[in-house]
Amino acid sequence: MSNFRAPLGCSSSKLNRVCHILSVNPFWTRNFYLLIISLLGFWGLNVLKPRTNFSKLRNLDLFFTSVSATTLSSMSTIEMEILSNPQLIVVSILMFIGGEVFTSMVGLFIAQNTFNNDEHLLHHSIMFLSFIILGYLLVINLLGIAMVFLYISLVSNAHRTLKSKGLNLFTFSIFTTISSFTNCGFIPTNENMLVFNKNPGLFLVIIPFVILGNTLFPTCLRFSIWVLGKCVNKVRDYCDYLLKNTKEIGFHHLVSTRCSFCLVGTAFGFVVIQVVLFFVMEWNSKSLKGLNPYEKTIGVLFQSVNTRQAGETIVNLPAMSTVILIVITVIMYLPPYTSFPFVNDEEEQHQQQKRKRKIAKKLLSQLAYISIFVILICITERKSMKEDPLNFTPFNIVFEVISAYGNVGYTMGYNCKLRLKDGANCEDKWYGFVGRWSDAGKTILIVVMLFGRLKRYNMGWKFS
């Protein structure tokens, strides 16, 4: 479960044990962790019963759901409202312990057992960092639960919506906050956040937690350390050490000031690009029909923030323009900490150019893996592609695979009206396109979700 990249100080005795324990085969260590958690989650979902008015769920669909929650992918083969309250709690736990913030914190606590007594400052700084992340994790999630609970309690139409779905308010608040913070994207309603598109206030509550839990977590972590160093004298030495030695410590989420600003600028840029495209191409479209200008504006902002990783949605994606869908596909493919450097020094620019070329090669190599997965799925779904070509289009399959690889959860869904045969016997369902695939196709997508969750390790992604 390593969250340490191989730091420059790995050659020194001071950090040798950290590097050895936390940098040896992190891909397989994390993969083993995710598989064990997924199997335990499957057992929990299988033991607990779904809502009484639904039949027993298939084991493969339950395991798929468990993996999807653990890998923070929110790909779905079942309708969420089928799950009972205890099952929703199990999914919440899976998202929480599979989240990047939680696993990075566990890695730090493990690291504390690798130091000698003569490594006082490093040891205590790592321990202090682990407690900062623990506090960050608890405070943000508890605050989010309280805010979601309070909003739905006070806003009558949101409360009516939840009541009509038969969902417990407290469970919904916990589930939605954890899902948003971990950037999973699962919501207990079948329609995801589309059912709340008349509640822009709820979107404004959720947006900060989407950002704080993933895309800008490194920036927020550095800011938290800086604030503590300024306000608490007893920990100032530890804070200074953490802020000045990011390369030597080698913790993936602890980045330099320059990199923090790059992350903020890049994240802001991606959101602005999407918002502008939405305004230009989707303002009067069917995807935003029935919303007033304020609801549209907040909804578009919410949608744009979620495209990077979270995958919560307020629109029907198939109804959107092709240009928007292509942009979403590209953004889903990019890793969460993608950033464009802003440097002035010539030597640093040269280093950045070399680094960018290396990253470009890594991204292209990932396309080769995705291509293999797409080809395999086209083979398993070849019968459906022949008999149902309007639903099983190559683009829909590619979109689903990239969404799973990016652990986003967006889907083109399935439309019974597009079927060429037996359309009258088909019933539209509120689950993803993958829900209509064969068992072999679903199994391949499980592998894609796990592979995507671990992309940082096989890409060698790191900051300076």
Side-chain angles (χ1 to χ4, degrees):
M1 292 197 342
S2 168
N3 282 280
F4 283 78
R5 61 186 183 271
L8 297 179
C10 270
S11 58
S12 67
S13 59
K14 191 175 184 181
L15 288 173
N16 187 51
R17 282 178 299 282
V18 179
C19 299
H20 177 71
I21 292 178
L22 294 174
S23 294
V24 173
N25 293 324
F27 179 90
W28 296 111
T29 304
R30 181 70 69 91
N31 194 32
F32 178 76
Y33 172 78
L34 294 176
L35 283 173
I36 292 298
I37 298 302
S38 297
L39 287 171
L40 290 173
F42 162 70
W43 175 79
L45 291 174
N46 198 31
V47 169
L48 299 170
K49 294 181 179 180
R51 293 194 185 187
T52 55
N53 55 330
F54 293 103
S55 59
K56 182 174 174 61
L57 298 169
R58 297 176 66 233
N59 286 338
L60 179 59
D61 290 329
L62 286 175
F63 182 65
F64 187 99
T65 302
S66 180
V67 172
S68 186
T70 304
T71 59
L72 314 177
S73 301
S74 70
M75 308 299 293
S76 61
T77 59
I78 61 174
E79 293 182 311
M80 292 302 295
E81 291 176 25
I82 290 178
L83 300 178
S84 62
N85 197 67
Q87 287 177 318
L88 289 176
I89 293 173
V90 169
V91 175
S92 299
I93 294 172
L94 292 175
M95 293 187 294
F96 187 82
I97 62 179
E100 189 65 29
V101 178
F102 179 86
T103 54
S104 68
M105 178 193 69
V106 173
L108 284 171
F109 277 114
I110 294 173
Q112 294 176 34
N113 299 318
T114 67
F115 299 94
N116 289 327
N117 293 330
D118 60 342
E119 298 169 339
H120 175 84
L121 183 57
L122 176 62
H123 182 192
H124 284 80
S125 296
I126 294 293
M127 182 172 63
F128 177 62
L129 179 60
S130 63
F131 280 106
I132 289 177
I133 296 177
L134 175 61
Y136 183 91
L137 183 69
L138 294 177
V139 169
I140 298 298
N141 277 280
L142 290 173
L143 180 63
I145 292 168
M147 291 178 69
V148 173
F149 185 92
L150 187 63
Y151 178 89
I152 295 180
S153 298
L154 297 177
V155 179
S156 57
N157 63 339
H159 190 267
R160 282 196 302 270
T161 298
L162 207 62
K163 191 174 182 180
S164 68
K165 297 286 186 179
L167 294 170
N168 180 278
L169 173 57
F170 188 56
T171 301
F172 178 86
S173 302
I174 294 173
F175 190 103
T176 301
T177 299
I178 292 175
S179 181
S180 300
F181 179 78
T182 59
N183 277 209
C184 179
F186 271 143
I187 298 294
T189 60
N190 287 340
E191 306 90 341
N192 205 274
M193 296 303 289
L194 179 62
V195 73
F196 294 106
N197 61 4
K198 290 285 187 180
N199 299 109
L202 181 59
F203 300 154
L204 290 175
V205 168
I206 292 174
I207 285 174
F209 298 101
V210 173
I211 296 171
L212 292 172
N214 195 313
T215 311
L216 295 185
F217 171 55
T219 303
C220 296
L221 177 61
R222 185 175 183 85
F223 179 73
S224 300
I225 296 171
W226 180 81
V227 170
L228 284 171
K230 294 293 183 181
C231 299
V232 184
N233 290 329
K234 290 184 178 180
V235 299
R236 183 167 296 172
D237 289 343
Y238 303 140
C239 291
D240 289 342
Y241 182 85
L242 290 171
L243 295 176
K244 293 177 181 178
N245 296 277
T246 57
K247 287 185 178 181
E248 287 74 11
I249 292 171
F251 182 56
H252 180 69
H253 305 290
L254 183 60
V255 301
S256 65
T257 301
R258 180 180 59 81
C259 189
S260 296
F261 282 112
C262 289
L263 284 171
V264 173
T266 303
F268 180 75
F270 278 134
V271 170
V272 169
I273 290 170
Q274 291 178 85
V275 168
V276 171
L277 285 173
F278 265 102
F279 282 167
V280 172
M281 307 194 71
E282 298 292 331
W283 188 258
N284 295 314
S285 68
K286 290 191 293 185
S287 60
L288 297 176
K289 187 178 180 180
L291 303 180
N292 62 41
Y294 174 69
E295 292 167 347
K296 286 183 179 180
T297 301
I298 301 302
V300 165
L301 177 62
F302 180 81
Q303 189 74 31
S304 300
V305 169
N306 274 272
T307 303
R308 287 294 302 279
Q309 283 283 299
E312 295 173 17
T313 181
I314 64 147
V315 298
N316 181 22
L317 290 176
M320 301 177 69
S321 66
T322 304
V323 174
I324 296 288
L325 292 175
I326 291 174
V327 171
I328 288 175
T329 304
V330 172
I331 291 176
M332 288 193 301
Y333 174 67
L334 297 174
Y337 292 170
T338 299
S339 65
F340 299 102
F342 307 99
V343 293
N344 296 317
D345 183 75
E346 289 186 9
E347 183 178 347
E348 182 65 22
Q349 285 180 345
H350 178 68
Q351 292 296 323
Q352 288 292 352
Q353 288 296 328
K354 290 175 61 178
R355 197 173 295 124
K356 286 188 331 189
R357 284 194 293 269
K358 184 177 179 181
I359 291 171
K361 289 180 180 179
K362 294 283 187 180
L363 288 172
L364 289 174
S365 69
Q366 297 298 295
L367 281 177
Y369 293 117
I370 291 176
S371 299
I372 293 172
F373 288 129
V374 170
I375 291 170
L376 290 174
I377 290 170
C378 286
I379 292 172
T380 64
E381 309 308 312
R382 61 189 182 278
K383 182 179 179 181
S384 296
M385 292 181 73
K386 182 178 180 180
E387 297 178 353
D388 192 8
L390 299 183
N391 278 306
F392 280 81
T393 66
F395 177 79
N396 286 0
I397 292 175
V398 170
F399 189 91
E400 200 85 357
V401 171
I402 291 180
S403 180
Y405 168 81
N407 305 125
V408 178
Y410 281 163
T411 179
M412 297 299 289
Y414 186 92
N415 190 345
C416 287
K417 294 179 181 178
L418 297 178
R419 289 185 62 150
L420 301 181
K421 298 179 181 179
D422 301 323
N425 298 323
C426 177
E427 182 182 357
D428 286 320
K429 295 289 185 179
W430 286 101
Y431 50 65
F433 179 40
V434 63
R436 301 284 182 167
W437 294 6
S438 65
D439 288 353
K442 291 177 182 178
T443 303
I444 292 172
L445 207 69
I446 288 174
V447 176
V448 175
M449 289 189 290
L450 288 166
F451 184 76
R453 184 68 177 87
L454 301 168
K455 64 173 106 28
R456 171 159 58 85
Y457 299 103
N458 55 60
M459 287 182 66
W461 196 268
K462 62 184 179 179
F463 301 102
S464 58

